[in-house]
Amino acid sequence: SSVAAAKKAEGNAFYAKKMYKEAIKCYTEVMLYRSLCTCVSHRPLVGIEADPTNHILYSNRAMAYSGLSMWREAKKDGLECIRLNKEFLKGYHRAANAMIQLVRVVCLSKRVGEFVEAEDILNQGLKYNSNDPNLLALLRIAEPKVRLLRDVHV
């Protein structure tokens, strides 16, 4: 609908201005609006309403959460983006980046798990495009740390 499309565009505008909380609110409202329209409408859905599982909204919201250093939320939305569209590489990037950033805020014993999970997510994304520079850049960060942290914990 034009309401949902306008809210998504508003979220994108807020994100561009680094107004992340406002962007998150807009993306969430689009998701809620589409769910409501899908549930109560007995008419054919068109446009954004026709796809109640829009992976791009989760990707966008993950980036906005990242802008606020809300890494757990960014990870969750990145993983949901992947679940909805396994070939959309930005989802892998969003999830893995959040996992890597989480290392800074969790205790050492959990660090290995986050890096291993990030490495796994990145390798899954690289199955769809083995030359993606964003995924490869994060993999270059994760792989040596996984090796190092595994050696420390052995």
Side-chain angles (χ1 to χ4, degrees):
S1 82
S2 60
V3 173
K7 270 292 177 196
K8 180 178 179 270
E10 184 180 358
N12 291 346
F14 280 131
Y15 180 82
K17 295 176 188 173
K18 298 186 185 231
M19 297 172 70
Y20 302 123
K21 287 181 183 178
E22 293 83 357
I24 290 166
K25 183 177 180 226
C26 288
Y27 297 136
T28 302
E29 286 175 4
V30 173
M31 293 173 199
L32 294 173
Y33 176 79
R34 282 188 331 226
S35 295
L36 179 64
C37 289
T38 302
C39 291
V40 300
S41 175
H42 298 291
R43 62 183 168 71
L45 299 176
V46 295
I48 216 166
E49 290 179 59
D51 182 10
T53 57
N54 186 335
H55 63 282
I56 293 172
L57 291 172
Y58 287 96
S59 175
N60 289 358
R61 194 169 70 173
M63 276 302 293
Y65 279 134
S66 295
L68 294 171
S69 298
M70 296 174 70
W71 304 118
R72 283 179 173 54
E73 293 82 356
K75 174 184 170 182
K76 182 179 175 186
D77 275 1
L79 291 173
E80 182 63 12
C81 178
I82 294 166
R83 187 187 73 75
L84 295 172
N85 185 337
K86 293 189 183 344
E87 295 183 22
F88 188 69
L89 297 180
K90 286 184 181 179
Y92 296 93
H93 186 269
R94 308 281 191 256
N97 184 56
M99 291 169 193
I100 289 169
Q101 297 305 321
L102 274 168
V103 170
R104 296 178 181 177
V105 296
V106 297
C107 66
L108 181 61
S109 64
K110 296 213 175 220
R111 288 183 178 184
V112 175
E114 290 294 342
F115 273 119
V116 169
E117 194 175 6
E119 182 183 43
D120 183 53
I121 288 291
L122 290 165
N123 283 321
Q124 288 177 37
L126 287 167
K127 289 178 186 175
Y128 296 101
N129 180 350
S130 61
N131 296 316
D132 183 83
N134 295 317
L135 299 183
L136 291 169
L138 285 176
L139 192 60
R140 283 191 295 277
I141 293 168
E143 282 181 330
K145 293 185 181 189
V146 168
R147 282 193 302 275
L148 177 66
L149 291 169
R150 281 185 180 149
D151 291 345
V152 169
H153 284 88
V154 173

